[in-house]
Amino acid sequence: MKTDRDLGLEMAAALRYASAWRGKRVVIKYGGRAMAGDEFGTLIDDVVLLRSAGLRPMLVHGGGAEITTTLQSMGVEPRFIDGLRVTDRATMRVVEMVLGGSVNKRLVGMIQRAGGRAVGLTGKDGDLLRVRPHPRSDELGFVGEIEKVDTSLLDQLTNSGYVPVIGSLGVGPGGETYNINADTAAAALAAEVAAEKLLLLTDVRGISDNGRFRSRLTPGEAGELIDSGVVSAGMVPKVRACLTALEAGVASAHILAAGEPHGLLVELFTEGGIGTMIKEPGNPGATGR
């Protein structure tokens, strides 16, 4: 049984963490198969708690599963090249409908029902994400690569107590809408707002190396796992997004399971965490992990 002294020490530690994190920005990406159902676990409550504790969370989302389902209901079979969705004009209309509409507004509504304040955006709003066509645009269609990030709108929202909820769309040189990989979008935003942490929520625990779970990796070790093929398929863009964010000055990047109860809080505020953290040695960030 815990004594009053034990409880007091735990409360003191929690207050120290809260003080260290006040005002810090964290970018959280939620998407892929983790979003396939309507169950969001404790994610929404955790995001609202972070905002109420004085942090400035930003939620970036994809919606690939819903896009695929919608296309199939219209008799269109989705196509992919190297993991990127082939996005012709008809597909782009569905992508924008889902990312800028149904998924985005559902997340906004859930945050507000949980007691937070949220504003739904895409990278088109306020020229947040300016993109250029992908080098393979002749095959991929309206798939973009991020060229410029303008976070002035995000600064206004977070300074006013809102949680920005951002769909991974961008605007092209002629004002066209482009589809963007959500991991890439989250990394670019984390870099531009000087986030303390980038957190990618997915449907697996993190990174495993031949059956051994890796709680901590250096950027060099993470790169070697990609080169050796240990990190493969859909995990590759996530790890690359983490490395991009770290190179731009983000203190640490994390990959963790979205379904773990309060996993977001555990990863942020405990020494051990629950996922895989990628960080340069000797960079403590806001906490010891």
Side-chain angles (χ1 to χ4, degrees), residues 25-77:
R25 294 176 172 87
V26 293
V27 174
I28 303 155
K29 182 266 177 173
Y30 186 54
R33 285 179 289 178
M35 284 187 71
D38 289 327
E39 296 298 323
F40 290 83
T42 59
L43 170 66
I44 301 301
D45 288 336
D46 290 351
V47 169
V48 172
L49 282 169
L50 292 178
R51 180 67 253 194
S52 64
L55 284 77
R56 298 184 179 191
M58 303 175 193
L59 183 61
V60 179
H61 67 85
E66 187 163 328
I67 292 167
T68 294
T69 300
T70 303
L71 287 169
Q72 290 173 335
S73 72
M74 299 167 60
V76 178
E77 193 58 36

Side-chain angles (χ1 to χ4, degrees), residues 29-31 34-35 40-43 200-205 256-264 274:
K29 182 266 177 173
Y30 186 54
M35 284 187 71
F40 290 83
T42 59
L43 170 66
L200 305 182
L201 276 63
T202 184
D203 61 338
V204 296
R205 183 183 176 193
L256 62 150
E260 191 73 26
H262 298 295
L264 187 60
I274 62 162

Side-chain angles (χ1 to χ4, degrees), residues 121-205:
L121 309 165
T122 72
K124 293 178 65 179
D125 294 296
D127 266 357
L128 176 58
L129 297 175
R130 275 275 174 185
V131 305
R132 58 179 175 266
H134 192 280
R136 298 175 66 182
S137 60
D138 56 332
E139 301 173 89
L140 290 168
F142 291 92
V143 173
E145 292 187 333
I146 296 173
E147 194 167 56
K148 183 181 178 182
V149 181
D150 183 346
T151 62
S152 54
L153 179 57
L154 296 184
D155 294 338
Q156 293 177 44
L157 291 171
T158 56
N159 289 343
S160 300
Y162 289 95
V163 177
V165 179
I166 306 155
S168 53
L169 299 173
V171 59
E176 314 93 333
T177 305
Y178 279 81
N179 194 7
I180 308 171
N181 177 278
D183 296 317
T184 302
L189 288 166
E192 193 66 25
V193 302
E196 186 72 20
K197 291 181 183 285
L198 168 66
L199 300 111
L200 305 182
L201 276 63
T202 184
D203 61 338
V204 296
R205 183 183 176 193

